[in-house]
Amino acid sequence: MSNYHEPVLKQQTIDYLQIKPGNTYIDATLGGGGHTFEILKRGAHVIGIDADEDATRYVTAQLGEKEIKKLGEKYDQAHDINITQYTHIDLVRANFSQIDFIVEHLQINKVSGILFDLGVSSFQIDTKERGFSFLKNGPLDMRMDKRLGVTAKDLLHALSKSELTNLFFKLGEEQNSRNIAEAIVKARETQKIETTEDLITIIAGVYKIKGQLLDKTKADISKRIFQALRIAVNDELTRLSEGLEKGLEVLEENGRLVVISFHSLEDRIVKDTFKKFEDEKKGIVVTKKPIIATEEEIAKNSRARSAKLRVFEKMLKI
Ligand SMILES: C[S@@+](CC[C@H](N)C(=O)[O-])C[C@H]1O[C@@H](n2cnc3c(N)ncnc32)[C@H](O)[C@@H]1O
């Protein structure tokens, strides 16, 4: 499993989900199945969702080794959702914002818990053709679901200077967004911005960054610009809000939403949505402060450093 993605906060996630054998849980962000296989081990049923068919394909290959057998396939044409059913698990290629249709299509009434482990997997970052990493040269794609119509390259060429400025400022929290947007608009007058390296060269030009001394600055800015583009291409913040709202609807009483976020924009949505649910008397926030990884986990997996886990429990009468 570790070559696809090393799951973060694995034990804490499982503890907070309070898995009961025979009950059904949704892993809304399947990835390499790191969390899913822990749930399966505890005798529960999993609905594993991912927008990226590389993830469902990877996990499918793992099922054979575990003697989990295929039962059949379904396609929901109206919502473009692919479901493959196995003993103990349903693998679904869809956006988690469609969680309500998925559950309806599977004719499941309510589920006992839902996990959202947000962002991209190590596999997606490490695959240069996907264009997620500023450390690897590849096409400026950044779509989690390859069926989406707009790539990062499309945005860089189609948005106006002020739209790009807004994008980098709001979704990347980049202070120098206006200058970067200006440099992009100027560059695209004479060239196509095709690759991650093309974009980084433009960013570096704004800061006149040269030499190794400034590598960290270049990496920090590129990280923010790449984050902004990735969030926009996949409409991540809207999808997250929808996923949480619809997730709560399909949860049974005392069921839990467990969410792991990796940057402040995501975490703010999770925190505010949970607070809103609590104000609406739909349940309680179980984690008054977010759960973070131990130094030991961070030493083994640097991605765990920015992880924040929050939990909400649905209650019908409070
Ligand atoms: C951090 S990885 C999950 C890793 C997984 N928990 C594991 O242990 O292997 C996030 C996964 O969620 C998927 N994803 C992110 N946002 C999504 C969305 N809105 N709908 C469906 N899948 C999404 C990504 O494609 C990626 O595979």
Side-chain angles (χ1 to χ4, degrees):
M1 210 73 52
S2 57
N3 53 353
Y4 194 100
H5 184 86
E6 186 62 38
V8 303
L9 297 166
K10 187 163 77 179
Q11 191 57 48
Q12 296 89 329
T13 300
I14 296 303
D15 290 347
Y16 276 111
L17 279 172
Q18 300 182 315
I19 315 273
K20 293 180 190 63
N23 286 10
T24 297
Y25 297 82
I26 296 180
D27 182 348
T29 48
L30 180 73
H35 291 105
T36 277
F37 285 111
E38 290 300 317
I39 303 173
L40 286 173
K41 257 193 234 165
R42 286 159 179 80
H45 185 93
V46 176
I47 301 170
I49 304 171
D50 207 295
D52 187 346
E53 65 178 342
D54 283 351
T56 47
R57 196 180 301 125
Y58 178 82
V59 172
T60 302
Q62 310 291 312
L63 298 179
E65 287 170 24
K66 297 183 191 325
E67 300 198 3
I68 294 177
K69 302 220 167 33
K70 186 167 167 177
L71 300 174
E73 284 180 42
K74 294 173 170 208
Y75 178 60
D76 176 341
Q77 197 168 8
H79 306 104
D80 200 12
I81 298 171
N82 296 80
I83 303 178
T84 314
Q85 296 192 278
Y86 297 83
T87 50
H88 316 302
I89 184 165
D90 302 298
L91 291 183
V92 185
R93 204 267 325 256
N95 200 288
F96 60 54
S97 59
Q98 296 170 299
I99 222 163
D100 47 347
F101 298 126
I102 296 166
V103 168
E104 188 186 309
H105 207 81
L106 286 167
Q107 294 175 327
I108 287 169
N109 197 11
K110 292 273 188 253
V111 299
S112 303
I114 308 177
L115 166 65
F116 296 84
D117 175 16
L118 301 169
V120 279
S121 65
S122 306
F123 178 82
Q124 288 167 321
I125 293 178
D126 292 342
T127 308
K128 64 179 194 310
E129 293 76 18
R130 305 296 298 271
F132 286 113
S133 172
F134 60 90
L135 296 172
K136 291 177 195 294
N137 192 23
L140 280 162
D141 188 321
M142 301 196 195
R143 291 169 302 166
M144 287 182 195
D145 182 339
K146 292 176 207 160
R147 298 168 304 176
L148 290 177
V150 175
T151 64
K153 177 185 153 187
D154 296 331
L155 288 183
L156 288 169
H157 287 90
L159 298 185
S160 66
K161 186 162 73 186
S162 68
E163 285 169 333
L164 285 171
T165 305
N166 263 336
L167 178 78
F168 299 147
F169 186 69
K170 290 204 179 124
L171 302 183
E173 300 179 296
E174 168 56 48
Q175 294 305 318
N176 211 0
S177 352
R178 189 193 302 263
N179 292 340
I180 295 174
E182 211 165 75
I184 288 168
V185 170
K186 189 154 184 279
R188 75 188 187 197
E189 283 169 9
T190 53
Q191 64 167 110
K192 279 248 180 284
I193 308 164
E194 304 268 3
T195 65
T196 51
E197 217 164 80
D198 290 345
L199 178 58
I200 289 166
T201 307
I202 296 168
I203 295 170
V206 171
Y207 285 84
K208 314 235 178 325
I209 293 168
K210 290 194 193 83
Q212 288 196 331
L213 208 67
L214 287 162
D215 272 1
K216 189 172 176 312
T217 318
K218 186 162 110 180
D220 287 347
I221 303 157
S222 304
K223 192 172 162 199
R224 292 195 285 272
I225 299 299
F226 273 56
Q227 173 184 302
L229 286 167
R230 195 198 85 198
I231 293 175
V233 166
N234 298 289
D235 200 9
E236 288 179 39
L237 303 183
T238 312
R239 300 302 195 153
L240 173 57
S241 297
E242 289 170 358
L244 295 175
E245 294 281 349
K246 291 179 176 177
L248 187 73
E249 278 170 30
V250 304
L251 208 56
E252 67 185 13
E253 176 153 28
N254 299 121
R256 289 179 164 188
L257 295 175
V258 175
V259 189
I260 308 172
S261 65
F262 291 88
H263 56 76
S264 57
L265 299 173
E266 285 173 347
D267 187 52
R268 205 171 305 143
I269 291 178
V270 180
K271 188 177 161 201
D272 292 351
T273 307
F274 283 3
K275 171 83 177 54
K276 180 177 88 75
F277 288 165
E278 207 174 51
D279 291 347
E280 292 167 350
K281 307 248 177 288
K282 290 176 173 165
I284 55 156
V285 176
V286 177
T287 46
K288 297 299 167 211
K289 290 223 162 80
I291 307 301
I292 54 172
T294 59
E295 283 305 322
E296 200 188 341
E297 180 174 0
I298 295 167
K300 284 194 209 133
N301 180 4
S302 61
R303 206 173 167 274
R305 185 180 300 282
S306 47
K308 286 193 175 148
L309 182 151
R310 295 186 188 268
V311 183
F312 184 83
E313 183 167 324
K314 180 167 175 176
M315 287 179 187
L316 297 181
K317 287 195 190 89
I318 51 171

